């Protein structure tokens, strides 16, 4: 099945700086890559996703890039704000399972300091 | 509206109790999921319902029993749980099985 590795496990940034989280996946046939933000005491929130036929997608201060050849994808947050502090999970949907189960990375704790 | 609601928010139960967790969505989604999340870990899939039928059971112990009464509701019945079952239980839904998943806020379960 699919295996997803996520780095770094923790990331501290100054307010206004950029943050980058990287994930690698193992199943070359994976075709869907969502990112979730989970604040303390809340459920994961889908913040952006990308499909394998697209190389980059942007939504305001958030962008995701996908390199299918290298089998990695990244989340970029620009002009970070304190409310960006949360745990971020990447995920990949493989195709070796019968229905394409989401495989999550281990998560990145992002702390934005004012 | 991408809201999934879950009740209760918190639940404390003894090992001999029977309780149920409830999940509801009104987005017309036809797939619903139960996940378990331990502290500082990603969500782990437990069950998937597609068109009100159980599609996936990730080898979950029988003390967890899911039920999907209709396309908007998903329940998780709990019986004879162990302290290690204490976790955040998350419900999610997607338009179809394998589509983008939207999570609820979760139920924080403590088994004493």
């Amino acid at each position: 099945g699919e295996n997803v590795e996520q780095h770094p496990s923790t990331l501290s940034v100054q307010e206004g700086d950029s943050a980058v989280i990287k994930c690698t996946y193992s199943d070359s046939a994976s075709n869907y890559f969502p990112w979730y933000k989970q604040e303390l005491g809340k459920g994961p929130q889908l913040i952006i996703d990308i499909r394998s036929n697209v190389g980059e997608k942007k939504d305001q201060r958030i962008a995701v890039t996908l390199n299918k050849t290298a089998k990695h994808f990244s989340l970029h947050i620009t002009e970070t704000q304190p409310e960006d502090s949360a745990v971020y999970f990447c995920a990949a949907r493989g195709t070796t399972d019968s229905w394409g189960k989401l495989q999550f990375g281990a998560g990145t704790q992002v702390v934005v300091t004012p | 509206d991408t809201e999934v609601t879950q009740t209760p928010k918190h639940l404390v139960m003894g090992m001999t109790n029977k309780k149920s967790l409830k999940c509801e969505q009104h987005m017309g989604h036809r797939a619903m999921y139960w996940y378990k999340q331990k502290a500082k870990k990603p969500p782990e899939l437990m069950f998937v319902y597609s068109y009100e039928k159980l599609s996936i059971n990730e080898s979950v112990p029988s003390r967890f029993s899911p039920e999907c009464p209709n396309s908007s509701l998903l329940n998780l019945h709990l019986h004879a749980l162990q302290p290690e079952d204490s976790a955040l239980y998350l419900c999610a839904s997607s338009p179809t099985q394998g589509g983008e998943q939207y999570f609820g806020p979760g139920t924080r379960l403590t088994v004493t």
Side-chain angles (χ1 to χ4, degrees):
Chain A
E2 175 66 275
N3 182 51
V4 176
E5 293 190 1
Q6 183 172 347
H7 299 282
S9 57
T10 58
L11 181 59
S12 292
V13 295
Q14 287 287 117
E15 182 178 359
D17 288 349
S18 295
V20 180
I21 304 170
K22 298 183 179 181
C23 291
T24 59
Y25 60 98
S26 59
D27 182 356
S28 57
S30 289
N31 57 11
Y32 175 63
F33 307 91
W35 285 89
Y36 288 88
K37 173 185 180 183
Q38 187 170 23
E39 297 175 83
L40 198 60
K42 296 186 178 181
Q45 176 194 2
L46 178 64
I47 56 172
I48 196 166
D49 56 13
I50 193 167
R51 298 182 188 278
S52 59
N53 58 346
V54 175
E56 183 176 1
K57 184 176 178 181
K58 273 188 170 182
D59 183 3
Q60 299 183 334
R61 295 186 297 107
I62 292 173
V64 56
T65 58
L66 171 65
N67 183 327
K68 288 191 330 184
T69 304
K71 291 191 284 186
H72 67 70
F73 57 112
S74 301
L75 179 71
H76 304 254
I77 307 173
T78 58
E79 300 173 23
T80 53
Q81 300 168 5
E83 52 264 38
D84 294 327
S85 296
V87 178
Y88 292 79
F89 291 102
C90 65
R93 186 174 67 202
T95 55
T96 52
D97 296 310
S98 60
W99 68 282
K101 170 183 168 181
L102 275 184
Q103 187 65 48
F104 287 88
T108 297
Q109 174 75 61
V110 173
V111 177
V112 180
T113 50
Chain B
D1 181 13
T2 55
E3 188 177 28
V4 176
T5 59
Q6 291 187 243
T7 55
K9 290 186 177 178
H10 302 275
L11 179 62
V12 179
M13 59 185 291
M15 290 189 284
T16 58
N17 291 160
K18 284 185 180 180
K19 297 286 185 182
S20 296
L21 309 185
K22 296 185 185 300
C23 173
E24 190 166 7
Q25 57 87 15
H26 293 288
M27 296 177 279
H29 289 177
R30 303 312 301 268
M32 296 184 76
Y33 311 76
W34 280 115
Y35 285 86
K36 173 183 178 181
Q37 187 178 31
K38 299 286 262 185
K40 300 188 185 299
K41 297 289 187 182
E44 297 174 39
L45 183 66
M46 300 175 71
F47 302 103
V48 181
Y49 272 83
S50 179
Y51 290 86
E52 296 104 73
K53 290 189 181 348
L54 183 63
S55 173
I56 303 285
N57 176 339
E58 291 282 289
S59 304
V60 179
S62 60
R63 57 185 183 268
F64 296 91
S65 175
E67 177 197 19
C68 189
N70 60 55
S71 60
S72 301
L73 291 174
L74 186 66
N75 299 321
L76 185 63
H77 303 297
L78 314 172
H79 173 56
L81 295 192
Q82 305 296 309
E84 59 264 29
D85 296 322
S86 298
L88 181 68
Y89 287 84
L90 295 161
C91 174
S93 72
S94 62
T96 56
Q97 184 169 311
E100 64 272 17
Q101 295 182 27
Y102 298 93
F103 284 84
T107 293
R108 175 71 61 188
L109 174 68
T110 303
V111 181
T112 60

